[in-house]
Amino acid sequence: MNKGRTGETTTDKAIMTCADFQERLPELFETKADLSADEHLKTCENCAALVRDLEYIAQQAKLLLPIHDPSPSVWENIRTAIRNDESSKSGPPPLPSVPPTGV
Ligand SMILES: [Zn+2]
């Protein structure tokens, strides 16, 4: 177990962050890249789950729209969904606030 949180200033381009990966996702889907071989997906369950979701969405989109490829607007919607998902994660937790227990 190496959390490796030393060296914040290291510009390690070999390691793709989740943000980098998700930014590339629409492109990867469009080019039909082999996502199962992606190094980031092998190490990141979070993004692996996201890809499974997107694959499901893409499948549904193709079923609804029997065309060769989903329209760019589909990917725009996915991008927007990712952004919203990310921003909601970085915001306050969606748990109901516990009222202070006064005595
Ligand atoms: Zn990730």
Side-chain angles (χ1 to χ4, degrees):
M1 280 296 221
N2 180 12
K3 296 269 180 181
R5 286 190 70 96
T6 58
E8 277 177 68
T9 56
T10 307
T11 53
D12 201 344
K13 289 186 180 178
I15 295 176
M16 198 187 294
T17 66
C18 291
D20 288 341
F21 178 77
Q22 288 168 23
E23 193 62 37
R24 281 181 54 219
L25 254 184
E27 189 185 322
L28 291 172
F29 268 81
E30 280 170 12
T31 58
K32 296 184 169 54
D34 187 4
L35 290 170
S36 63
D38 193 283
E39 282 300 322
H40 184 79
L41 282 185
K42 287 178 187 173
T43 58
C44 183
E45 180 54 35
N46 190 34
C47 288
L50 180 65
V51 166
R52 284 196 293 272
D53 282 354
L54 293 185
E55 282 176 341
Y56 176 77
I57 292 169
Q59 267 187 353
Q60 299 304 305
K62 280 176 183 168
L63 291 177
L64 293 173
L65 304 168
I67 54 178
H68 291 299
D69 291 297
S71 71
S73 64
V74 171
W75 297 121
E76 268 311 305
N77 290 340
I78 291 173
R79 275 178 186 264
T80 305
I82 293 171
R83 295 256 160 73
N84 290 343
D85 193 42
E86 281 301 302
S87 58
S88 68
K89 272 179 199 160
S90 58
L95 297 169
S97 56
V98 180
T101 50
V103 180

